[in-house]
Amino acid sequence: ESVDLEVAAIPRRLTAEIESVHTSRVEVHGGDTITVEATILPWHGERRNVRVPVKLPSNLPEGPVRLLVSDSGTLDRLLQPPQFNAQPLDVAATIAQLNSAHASDQLYVTLLAPEAQAAVDGRTLTSIPLTVANALAPLRDNKGMVLNGESAVPMASLPMDAVVTGSQVVTLQVEDQ
């Protein structure tokens, strides 16, 4: 019947942009822990370098893999691609979708694994076998499914004191054990 809302004005702008990203090593093995270093440029102030330790999955296939260092919006778009024929959401579904969104004041590190990922009815299925993707093909034809060639696997996040914007991709070379 009513909504109570409190608003507080902050007398400064609290935004920061991801300026550059690099890793402690480019040649890695499955199971390694690497450090991702990002240079963050606040709207007003000095650049800042932040480090995020990331433990890679032990089952990474040999070859190139990509790490995405990003803001929340980029990560949410990867994990919840748009539904082209989606029905309008009711209030409960809208609230659930908003609550599942990632916080905008964090820096996110996501592994883009070389495995198929499907989004069906707003849910993300990562690392699906191609046989499963083929079985879901009729959904794709009806625009009920979105299929990607890479799976977005969230690895780490780091709280920041500002709303983060931007993204950078770093390619790692996974070598045989």
mmCIF file of all heavy atoms in Angstrom, residues 20 30 61 71-72 76 101 103 116-117 165 175-176:
data_model
loop_
_atom_site.group_PDB
_atom_site.id
_atom_site.type_symbol
_atom_site.label_atom_id
_atom_site.label_comp_id
_atom_site.label_asym_id
_atom_site.label_seq_id
_atom_site.Cartn_x
_atom_site.Cartn_y
_atom_site.Cartn_z
ATOM 1 N N SER A 20 43.498 -0.069 -17.279
ATOM 2 C CA SER A 20 44.304 -1.131 -17.874
ATOM 3 C C SER A 20 44.338 -2.330 -16.933
ATOM 4 O O SER A 20 44.074 -2.203 -15.738
ATOM 5 C CB SER A 20 45.733 -0.643 -18.154
ATOM 6 O OG SER A 20 46.394 -0.336 -16.952
ATOM 7 N N GLY A 30 46.627 -25.298 -15.344
ATOM 8 C CA GLY A 30 45.387 -25.458 -14.604
ATOM 9 C C GLY A 30 45.692 -25.603 -13.120
ATOM 10 O O GLY A 30 46.619 -26.299 -12.734
ATOM 11 N N PRO A 61 41.597 -26.624 -20.342
ATOM 12 C CA PRO A 61 42.235 -27.290 -21.479
ATOM 13 C C PRO A 61 43.461 -26.504 -21.946
ATOM 14 O O PRO A 61 43.550 -25.290 -21.747
ATOM 15 C CB PRO A 61 41.144 -27.294 -22.542
ATOM 16 C CG PRO A 61 40.289 -26.123 -22.205
ATOM 17 C CD PRO A 61 40.336 -26.001 -20.703
ATOM 18 N N ASP A 71 33.143 -4.363 -15.040
ATOM 19 C CA ASP A 71 32.133 -3.799 -14.152
ATOM 20 C C ASP A 71 30.965 -4.774 -14.048
ATOM 21 O O ASP A 71 30.924 -5.815 -14.714
ATOM 22 C CB ASP A 71 31.680 -2.434 -14.670
ATOM 23 C CG ASP A 71 31.110 -2.487 -16.091
ATOM 24 O OD1 ASP A 71 30.893 -3.597 -16.629
ATOM 25 O OD2 ASP A 71 30.879 -1.420 -16.666
ATOM 26 N N SER A 72 29.986 -4.431 -13.232
ATOM 27 C CA SER A 72 28.844 -5.320 -13.004
ATOM 28 C C SER A 72 27.944 -5.439 -14.232
ATOM 29 O O SER A 72 27.425 -6.517 -14.520
ATOM 30 C CB SER A 72 28.035 -4.829 -11.812
ATOM 31 O OG SER A 72 27.514 -3.532 -12.081
ATOM 32 N N ASP A 76 26.750 -8.905 -15.887
ATOM 33 C CA ASP A 76 25.323 -9.244 -15.933
ATOM 34 C C ASP A 76 24.872 -9.536 -17.368
ATOM 35 O O ASP A 76 24.071 -10.435 -17.597
ATOM 36 C CB ASP A 76 24.473 -8.127 -15.336
ATOM 37 C CG ASP A 76 24.595 -8.055 -13.820
ATOM 38 O OD1 ASP A 76 24.990 -9.057 -13.199
ATOM 39 O OD2 ASP A 76 24.302 -6.976 -13.266
ATOM 40 N N ALA A 101 21.262 -9.144 -9.913
ATOM 41 C CA ALA A 101 22.284 -8.330 -10.572
ATOM 42 C C ALA A 101 23.461 -8.121 -9.623
ATOM 43 O O ALA A 101 23.320 -8.088 -8.406
ATOM 44 C CB ALA A 101 21.689 -6.987 -10.986
ATOM 45 N N ALA A 103 26.585 -6.143 -7.798
ATOM 46 C CA ALA A 103 26.759 -4.799 -7.235
ATOM 47 C C ALA A 103 27.663 -3.972 -8.142
ATOM 48 O O ALA A 103 28.663 -4.463 -8.664
ATOM 49 C CB ALA A 103 27.351 -4.895 -5.837
ATOM 50 N N ALA A 116 30.773 -24.300 -24.299
ATOM 51 C CA ALA A 116 29.492 -23.675 -24.654
ATOM 52 C C ALA A 116 28.720 -23.253 -23.404
ATOM 53 O O ALA A 116 28.814 -23.879 -22.353
ATOM 54 C CB ALA A 116 28.653 -24.647 -25.475
ATOM 55 N N GLN A 117 27.963 -22.174 -23.547
ATOM 56 C CA GLN A 117 27.097 -21.667 -22.482
ATOM 57 C C GLN A 117 25.746 -21.346 -23.106
ATOM 58 O O GLN A 117 25.681 -20.779 -24.190
ATOM 59 C CB GLN A 117 27.698 -20.405 -21.871
ATOM 60 C CG GLN A 117 26.771 -19.656 -20.933
ATOM 61 C CD GLN A 117 27.433 -18.420 -20.347
ATOM 62 O OE1 GLN A 117 28.445 -18.527 -19.691
ATOM 63 N NE2 GLN A 117 26.871 -17.251 -20.618
ATOM 64 N N THR A 165 33.256 1.298 -13.941
ATOM 65 C CA THR A 165 32.811 1.172 -15.323
ATOM 66 C C THR A 165 33.966 0.665 -16.181
ATOM 67 O O THR A 165 35.131 0.878 -15.857
ATOM 68 C CB THR A 165 32.321 2.508 -15.909
ATOM 69 O OG1 THR A 165 33.388 3.460 -15.870
ATOM 70 C CG2 THR A 165 31.125 3.048 -15.151
ATOM 71 N N GLU A 175 49.303 -24.114 -20.497
ATOM 72 C CA GLU A 175 50.256 -25.107 -20.977
ATOM 73 C C GLU A 175 49.972 -26.452 -20.333
ATOM 74 O O GLU A 175 49.356 -26.529 -19.261
ATOM 75 C CB GLU A 175 51.678 -24.664 -20.666
ATOM 76 C CG GLU A 175 52.044 -23.380 -21.390
ATOM 77 C CD GLU A 175 53.457 -22.914 -21.074
ATOM 78 O OE1 GLU A 175 54.014 -23.313 -20.032
ATOM 79 O OE2 GLU A 175 53.990 -22.136 -21.892
ATOM 80 N N ASP A 176 50.428 -27.493 -20.983
ATOM 81 C CA ASP A 176 50.248 -28.852 -20.473
ATOM 82 C C ASP A 176 51.008 -29.002 -19.160
ATOM 83 O O ASP A 176 52.096 -28.456 -18.970
ATOM 84 C CB ASP A 176 50.772 -29.857 -21.506
ATOM 85 C CG ASP A 176 50.338 -31.269 -21.201
ATOM 86 O OD1 ASP A 176 49.371 -31.439 -20.447
ATOM 87 O OD2 ASP A 176 50.980 -32.193 -21.716
#
